[in-house]
Amino acid sequence: MAGPRQPRVTLRAVADAAGVSTSTASLAFSGKGPVAPETVERVLAAAAELGYTGPDPLASSLRQGRSGVVGVVVEGRLGHAFRDPFAVSVLDGLSQVLDEVPAGMLLIAQPAGDPDRAIAHLGSAALDAVVFSLCGPDTNPAVDHLAARGIPMIGDGAPADPRVVNLSLDNLGAGAEVARLVRDLGHRRVAHLLMPLGPHAVTGPTTLEEVDAAVFVDTRDRALGFVDVFGPDLPLVQTALPDVEQAALAVRPLLELPAGERPTAVVAQSDLLALGVVRAAGDLGLRVPEDLSVTGFDGVDLPWFDGVLTTVDQQGEAKGRHLGAMVRALLDDRQPEAAVHPTTLRVGTTTAPPACT
């Protein structure tokens, strides 16, 4: 069994051993005061002899009224986020700024079907601020809990609550822009592949009524952008999870239709979904873009993909840094402004005019 925990050596003990005042010892450690080099050397020698490693970070944070930790709420399982290169790029950009603050980042998963479970984790943590990353539902029970504790909140487009300062995305406008590109290439038989509409989504066809009632607003708005361009009568297919495997499963029945009936283009709501479409097309002997044009949404780096995906680039790392800058403003007692993050349509090698069929 481990022995009793030894008490932490205090700065006062170091000061006494060095024969100086506590304030002088503190200045010697910080390097910010007019302390003679001989005194600094004596203080550091006493600290080494006593095993003193520096000021207690917990006590320091309590004096400052800060924990030095920012909570980051991730919709769904953390494993799914870590497998999504766009999610990773956003978290990377956010962590870069928090490292500069400096502040730690505590990732907290919020199960899509049971959002209250995250409150227990939030309640047990001392947090300076919370970021709701990677979008999510318009309403979130964690907002009331955090607001009651006085913890400021930043959102990646959601929750839609006046107590949350959001960095939004024009999902409807961007969805319409990529749909217009496909339309202007001459495609008329076009399918739209959706991310989950809600926490209990099932891979397969969906309807405009279900889109209008969607829990996840980014899915809804991207779909409505597509409908604005192509109308309500073209196929809408959603995935249970926004990954390559579910995308291939969702779109395969459409690609198996006879040549004169199957879509000549698929507009997918994420780059991972688009890669699933490319995989399904290849399995069926269809060439991209000669037989099938494919578009994505996110603009992630895909070094394993032999081509350049036509997509909406929302610059994930820059988006994460923007979220981080908003958190930094909160920690500096400044009120950040809500903003809309820009997107750029990037035309690659996966789109072309339709073949004559």
Side-chain angles (χ1 to χ4, degrees):
M1 295 179 61
R5 183 178 177 182
Q6 296 299 313
R8 183 183 178 92
V9 177
T10 65
L11 182 62
R12 172 169 293 184
V14 173
D16 291 343
V20 299
S21 67
T22 303
S23 60
T24 298
S26 177
L27 292 173
F29 263 97
S30 69
K32 298 178 181 178
V35 181
E38 302 81 16
T39 303
V40 172
E41 185 176 344
R42 194 164 72 249
V43 169
L44 295 180
E49 182 177 350
L50 294 174
Y52 179 74
T53 56
D56 186 340
L58 177 60
S60 177
S61 67
L62 291 175
R63 285 193 298 272
Q64 297 171 15
R66 294 274 170 82
S67 68
V69 178
V70 173
V72 179
V73 177
V74 177
E75 179 76 21
R77 291 175 51 193
L78 292 180
H80 293 153
F82 293 150
R83 289 196 296 269
D84 183 343
F86 176 71
V88 171
S89 67
V90 173
L91 293 175
D92 179 35
L94 174 59
S95 69
Q96 290 174 29
V97 179
L98 295 184
D99 283 345
E100 297 165 2
V101 168
M105 185 168 70
L106 176 64
L107 297 181
I108 300 169
Q110 187 169 42
D114 187 12
D116 286 321
R117 284 180 56 188
I119 295 177
H121 298 290
L122 291 166
S124 63
L127 302 170
D128 294 332
V130 165
V131 178
F132 293 94
S133 69
L134 310 178
C135 203
D138 261 348
T139 59
N140 193 316
V143 172
D144 286 339
H145 166 81
L146 294 167
R149 292 173 57 191
I151 297 176
M153 294 165 276
I154 301 293
D156 183 7
D161 189 291
R163 295 168 293 183
V164 181
V165 183
N166 270 299
L167 176 61
S168 303
L169 199 73
D170 182 9
N171 283 294
L172 192 150
E177 183 179 22
V178 70
R180 283 193 296 270
L181 169 71
V182 172
R183 182 198 62 190
D184 293 346
L185 286 171
H187 294 276
R188 297 299 178 265
R189 296 198 309 272
V190 184
H192 187 46
L193 183 59
L194 287 69
M195 299 182 296
L197 291 165
H200 306 296
V202 177
T203 295
T206 189
T207 66
L208 186 55
E209 289 74 21
E210 290 174 331
V211 168
D212 286 333
V215 173
F216 298 143
V217 294
D218 50 347
T219 302
R220 180 198 66 200
D221 289 350
R222 292 178 197 181
L224 292 178
F226 173 86
V227 171
D228 281 350
V229 174
F230 283 108
D233 299 325
L234 294 181
L236 303 173
V237 185
Q238 76 166 327
T239 53
L241 291 171
D243 61 22
V244 173
E245 291 74 17
Q246 290 298 310
L249 181 65
V251 80
R252 188 180 179 100
L254 293 174
L255 301 186
E256 290 176 331
L257 293 172
E261 299 177 23
R262 70 170 177 255
T264 61
V266 175
V267 175
Q269 288 197 349
S270 77
D271 290 348
L272 287 185
L273 295 186
L275 290 186
V277 177
V278 172
R279 175 187 291 182
D283 290 343
L284 295 170
L286 300 175
R287 300 165 300 164
V288 175
E290 293 85 354
D291 302 315
L292 181 73
S293 285
V294 181
T295 69
F297 199 114
D298 285 334
V300 299
D301 185 22
L302 302 169
W304 62 89
F305 175 57
D306 186 17
V308 179
L309 187 65
T310 295
T311 189
V312 175
D313 186 359
Q314 54 170 321
Q315 301 125 24
E317 184 178 332
K319 188 177 189 179
R321 290 191 63 86
H322 194 159
L323 289 168
M326 296 168 77
V327 173
R328 189 205 297 267
L330 288 175
L331 299 182
D332 289 342
D333 296 322
R334 294 180 288 113
Q335 180 62 29
E337 294 185 2
V340 177
H341 188 69
T343 60
T344 303
L345 181 61
R346 186 185 73 198
V347 179
T349 61
T350 60
T351 46
C356 296
T357 57

